[in-house]
Structures are given as C-alpha cells and as structure tokens.
Amino acid sequence: QLQLVESGGGLVQPGGTLTLSCAASGSTLDHYAIGWFRQAPGEKREGVSCITTSGLRQEYAVSVKGRFTVSRDRAKNMVYLRMNNLKPDDTAVYYCAGDWAPMSVVCTLVPDQERYKNWGQGIQVTVSS
C-alpha cells in the first residue's frame, strides 16, 4: 500500500523559494505518475503540476508555469516540487498524489480520485510579508 508524506512547506516572503518533497513508503514510485495539488481556504482543490511515470513529461498549471518545477528521484523514491518566485496567491495546503500508471506516457492535473487513489496528508505553504 503506497503511502505518501509531504514535507518542506512553511512561511516564505513573496518572491521566495520553497521545495516540497513527497516521500513514498510501502511501494516503489516506479509505476506511479505523481501529481501535486493545492487547496486554499474556501476554494476547490486544483492541479499544480504532475510528472509521468517515466519522468519524461511534466505538466504545469498556467498560474505556476515558469516558476515551479517538478522532478523525481527514483533512487530515493521521492518526488519534488521546486517553487520559485512565490506569490501570495500560492498560499494553500499542498498535496502529492499517486496515479498507478505503469504504461501511461501522460499525467493529469485533474484531482480525480478514481485515478489518484493515494494522497499525502498535505502541507501548508504560506506566502506573506
């Protein structure tokens, strides 16, 4: 049973940088596409970024493209989200989620729980001066 745990969140000033980590246990991530999602108070959960099983393709929401970078480290069984030039609108709880997709060459930013069956508990990111 895949379990995911996020870390690396916190308080940062506008323009700052944070790197979120998604650590896996119970299973290798080798056959999972990984998505990063966020949810601000009173808002729907939205997709931020995802990376395919192979790691060869990444997708980004328009609001974060050019500022966020997703990557994976197979040896460490981890996925990362580096967030540069953070803005107050990036304030939210961030989640990583796993989509069992060993044969897929794409990933989705839709927080579809029929696909993303494994979710972390979430971590707070606050961007404020």
Side-chain angles (χ1 to χ4, degrees), residues 3 51 54:
Q3 295 182 320
I51 187 166
S54 67

Side-chain angles (χ1 to χ4, degrees), residues 40-114:
E43 302 289 334
K44 289 184 179 179
R45 190 169 295 186
E46 64 173 352
V48 174
S49 180
C50 65
I51 187 166
T52 57
T53 304
S54 67
L56 294 178
R57 182 167 177 171
Q58 305 88 38
E59 301 287 348
Y60 297 94
V62 172
S63 60
V64 307
K65 202 164 188 176
R67 300 189 295 123
F68 289 13
T69 304
V70 63
S71 61
R72 62 193 304 158
D73 186 329
R74 293 188 183 282
K76 295 183 178 179
N77 211 29
M78 293 188 66
V79 175
Y80 305 97
L81 183 69
R82 181 174 174 85
M83 306 184 293
N84 294 330
N85 190 20
L86 281 160
K87 305 176 181 181
D89 284 350
D90 295 318
T91 296
V93 176
Y94 283 71
Y95 302 87
C96 63
D99 172 16
W100 172 263
M103 304 301 292
S104 179
V105 296
V106 299
C107 60
T108 179
L109 295 180
V110 177
D112 179 359
Q113 300 205 6
E114 290 299 313

Side-chain angles (χ1 to χ4, degrees), residues 1-13:
Q1 178 77 15
L2 177 67
Q3 295 182 320
L4 301 172
V5 178
E6 302 92 343
S7 62
L11 173 64
V12 63
Q13 292 187 341

Side-chain angles (χ1 to χ4, degrees), residues 1-4 6 22 25 27 29 32-35 37 95-100 112-121:
Q1 178 77 15
L2 177 67
Q3 295 182 320
L4 301 172
E6 302 92 343
C22 177
S25 62
S27 176
L29 286 179
Y32 287 86
I34 300 297
F37 302 88
Y95 302 87
C96 63
D99 172 16
W100 172 263
D112 179 359
Q113 300 205 6
E114 290 299 313
R115 293 190 63 167
Y116 289 104
K117 294 184 183 296
N118 305 94
W119 290 78
Q121 81 287 355

